[in-house]
Amino acid sequence: MPFKLISTDGMHAFELRTGAPLIVGRAPTSDIPVIDPTISRRHAEVETGDAGVMVRDLGSSNGTFLNGVRVDSAAVAAGDVVTFGKVGFRLQQIAAVAAPTASPSAAPPGATIVRQLPVRDPSATIAGLQSPLSLPTAASAQEGLAPADKSRQKLAILLEVSKGLGKATDIDSLLDKIVSFAYQILEVDRVAILLVDESGELVPKIARDKRGGDTARAVPQSIARTALKDKVAILSDNAGEDTRFGGQSILMQQIRSAICVPLIGAEDRALGILYVDNVTATHRFSDEDFEFCIAFAGIAAVAIENGQFAQRIQRELLTRSNFERFFTPQLAKRIAESSETIRLGGEKRTVAVLFSDIRGFTALSESMRPDDMASLLTEYFTQMVDCVFRYDGTLDKFIGDAVMAQWGAPIGGPDDADKAMSAAIEMIRELEKLNDGWRAAGRPELQIGVGLNFGEAFAGNIGSERRLEFTVIGDTVNTAKRLCDQAGKGEIFLSDDFRKALHNAPTVLECEPMVLKNKSQPVTVYRVVLD
């Protein structure tokens, strides 16, 4: 009667063959490798014969124990616990089963690479699938069924999987469902999914053991990279001995049987890999398991790609809704669709900058109730922002009662100065209309001054990873603010650089050179003559 040793935590199992002693040790080449610091490289040997199972200590540092008693040599009965160092195993008898008839494609004894298939290969589909039957609750429910019935039930599973994955609302819940389905349809010890990030690297997203807990064991990168690079599904019946996968992580994790399938999306784009393995027995996965896992991974890949697409659309919509507060809708759309705009940093740009500021606002605010002031400012800012957007400008920010706008970043044009000038003139005219209405309603009136400058500034996203603000900074911006401060009620002041950038300049008058803050020399300033 055959036996097997099962670790007391249920995570490892080793079948004991008869006729020859098996070495238990920490060395990866041991017949029963147990990777633990309390285990010696050649710790003990286990021999199965007609008389039963014998265990012999090989002079280990931490000893061999039978049911808690240290032994040099002892007979082990079914149900006994043998402890090597501090790692315990229970001996279990295996019920005899009829030996299956070997198929022509069966791997020869000792083989490690069972199959390797391109995931787009038509032969990788499950053959003989007809109309679906009821969905079994677990892989064990298929035992005892005829091959045709098994195939029909597996098709039913795939149909249910497709329906179930279509209901996931986000990527995290989708990956969780994929792992859950994998445990329902395959006998595995671990399931893991790695996805390709923006830089093309495989990033672990989820890894669960059969108890449902997260596992820290890493997916062997040698297997994962091979599957992803070559876009092939890999089945190995003893990954630790597979000469292609010489990574130490495979040996250290005692991986026996593994399947790794690339997740391929539209246009043959690699999304990541689906990985399952067993540490409990060799030759665990069959060809049918392999083909079914490929079909399952194909459905999972479609669901993941759809989920990523939906997530990207949702993010772009949110980004556009946020940007549309500051940019024209057309510009907001271009920004939302560009991944470059959400990064820290920026670039030097030639911009036209506009500042407008309410004159006497402090005194006015002291004489009004907060609610009335908020209502007045809301109406005022709404009209001013409309003037900026009407001429394709970017609302940079509100600074108290001031409005800062700019043309030229992140996208500029040859007529940026002309558009800024048109917006400034329209701001003055729109405010006159607002004042007419407020005056008739007995409400206070507002007066503004406007400053315009043109030149080079630093433009980009400034802030932290948690909160970014697109803005322009530099001397060009500061000078526009100083000109605004000097402008009187209903006046528009502009620099000489701004005047030279205009293609269709309005009538302007040169003012006395002005001494502006942080300027060593007086600045040439012009005032717009309004009708």
Side-chain angles (χ1 to χ4, degrees):
M1 188 73 72
F3 294 89
K4 64 179 177 181
L5 287 173
I6 302 177
S7 61
T8 52
D9 62 4
M11 296 300 294
H12 307 287
F14 301 96
E15 295 182 13
L16 305 180
R17 62 177 182 263
T18 59
L22 302 177
I23 301 299
V24 179
R26 194 175 71 248
T29 55
S30 300
D31 299 304
I32 303 177
V34 182
I35 311 302
D36 187 90
T38 65
I39 305 295
S40 300
R41 291 185 62 82
R42 287 176 55 85
H43 193 101
E45 67 177 16
V46 179
E47 186 172 3
T48 304
D50 295 337
V53 178
M54 293 290 297
V55 61
R56 282 181 289 275
D57 188 80
L58 298 178
S60 64
S61 300
N62 295 299
T64 301
F65 302 81
L66 178 61
N67 297 324
V69 179
R70 186 164 185 165
V71 296
D72 292 325
S73 178
V76 186
D80 286 346
V81 175
V82 181
T83 304
F84 307 103
K86 292 185 178 181
V87 183
F89 289 84
R90 187 179 301 276
L91 185 67
Q92 180 178 313
Q93 204 165 36
I94 303 174
V97 294
T101 302
S103 63
S105 60
T112 60
I113 305 171
V114 179
R115 293 185 70 183
Q116 175 174 312
L117 290 176
V119 294
R120 297 299 190 189
D121 192 327
S123 66
T125 59
I126 300 177
L129 296 179
Q130 305 297 327
S131 58
L133 299 179
S134 59
L135 173 67
T137 58
S140 59
Q142 298 181 39
E143 294 179 2
L145 293 177
D149 289 337
K150 285 185 178 181
S151 295
R152 286 194 292 269
Q153 283 202 336
K154 285 195 171 185
L155 176 58
I157 293 174
L158 292 178
L159 292 175
E160 292 299 321
V161 166
S162 180
K163 294 176 184 177
L165 295 183
K167 298 175 182 177
T169 57
D170 58 73
I171 291 295
D172 290 338
S173 62
L174 175 62
L175 298 181
D176 192 71
K177 280 193 173 187
I178 292 173
V179 171
S180 177
F181 277 123
Y183 275 112
Q184 291 183 41
I185 62 181
L186 292 167
E187 286 192 67
V188 295
D189 292 326
R190 178 174 57 151
V191 180
I193 297 173
L194 285 74
L195 297 182
V196 177
D197 65 8
E198 293 181 357
S199 62
E201 295 296 321
L202 271 175
V203 177
K205 290 297 182 180
I206 189 170
R208 298 276 170 81
D209 60 29
K210 62 183 178 183
R211 297 175 180 174
D214 294 337
T215 175
R217 299 204 315 269
V219 172
Q221 289 297 300
S222 51
I223 293 178
R225 284 194 296 265
T226 300
L228 190 69
K229 176 178 176 291
D230 298 337
K231 294 181 181 178
V232 294
I234 296 170
L235 166 63
S236 178
D237 67 1
N238 197 341
E241 297 179 10
D242 195 323
T243 56
R244 297 182 309 159
F245 309 126
Q248 286 298 310
S249 60
I250 299 174
L251 299 176
M252 293 295 291
Q253 295 180 60
Q254 298 178 317
I255 295 169
R256 293 301 192 181
S257 190
I259 294 177
C260 188
V261 185
L263 299 167
I264 305 299
E267 299 180 355
D268 209 34
R269 184 170 67 94
L271 307 176
I273 60 106
L274 171 68
Y275 173 87
V276 298
D277 68 23
N278 276 313
V279 297
T280 54
T282 59
H283 306 279
R284 186 72 171 184
F285 296 124
S286 65
D287 280 357
E288 190 178 23
D289 292 328
F290 186 41
E291 293 167 350
F292 191 61
C293 195
I294 293 174
F296 172 72
I299 294 175
V302 171
I304 290 172
E305 187 169 48
N306 288 342
Q308 290 176 337
F309 179 73
Q311 198 173 59
R312 185 168 63 254
I313 292 298
Q314 185 178 15
R315 184 172 61 250
E316 287 182 3
L317 289 174
L318 179 61
T319 303
R320 284 181 61 181
S321 67
N322 288 333
F323 279 146
E324 282 176 0
R325 294 181 298 160
F326 306 101
F327 303 97
T328 61
Q330 297 84 354
L331 185 57
K333 180 176 183 296
R334 293 176 65 180
I335 294 171
E337 292 174 351
S338 173
S339 61
E340 297 298 318
T341 59
I342 61 173
R343 296 181 181 176
L344 287 172
E347 60 182 343
K348 287 185 177 181
R349 302 281 300 184
T350 300
V351 296
V353 183
L354 177 153
F355 271 90
S356 71
D357 197 2
I358 298 175
R359 296 294 170 251
F361 176 75
T362 301
L364 180 63
S365 63
E366 291 175 351
S367 65
M368 295 182 66
R369 294 188 311 166
D371 289 350
D372 293 338
M373 177 55 68
S375 176
L376 193 72
L377 285 177
T378 298
E379 293 180 48
Y380 163 72
F381 281 134
T382 298
Q383 289 300 321
M384 298 302 102
V385 171
D386 284 347
C387 293
V388 172
F389 283 0
R390 198 170 295 134
Y391 292 96
D392 300 324
T394 295
L395 174 65
D396 192 290
K397 61 173 69 70
F398 297 119
I399 309 172
D401 61 309
V403 174
M404 175 184 169
Q406 57 89 9
W407 286 253
I411 300 172
D415 55 349
D416 285 338
D418 292 281
K419 289 181 177 180
M421 175 57 75
S422 297
I425 294 173
E426 190 150 332
M427 286 172 126
I428 299 294
R429 290 173 177 167
E430 287 298 322
L431 183 57
E432 291 175 354
K433 295 178 183 178
L434 286 174
N435 280 329
D436 290 341
W438 291 336
R439 187 183 310 112
R443 300 172 69 187
E445 299 177 36
L446 300 178
Q447 296 295 333
I448 63 172
V450 180
L452 295 166
N453 193 22
F454 187 88
E456 194 173 72
F458 178 86
N461 290 291
I462 308 298
S464 69
E465 292 285 1
R466 295 177 63 87
R467 186 179 187 277
L468 296 177
E469 181 182 65
F470 186 87
T471 188
V472 291
I473 58 176
D475 182 65
T476 298
V477 178
N478 296 337
T479 300
K481 178 65 169 64
R482 306 287 182 250
L483 291 172
C484 177
D485 293 341
Q486 295 295 323
K489 296 179 181 179
E491 290 186 329
I492 301 174
F493 281 1
L494 56 140
S495 67
D496 192 41
D497 288 334
F498 189 92
R499 183 187 64 84
K500 292 176 179 177
L502 290 168
H503 295 92
N504 300 296
T507 302
V508 296
L509 292 177
E510 185 174 354
C511 304
E512 290 292 328
M514 295 183 182
V515 178
L516 302 180
K517 184 178 180 181
N518 296 330
K519 291 289 186 180
S520 59
Q521 299 294 327
V523 175
T524 300
V525 177
Y526 296 85
R527 178 175 60 85
V528 177
V529 178
L530 298 171
D531 297 335

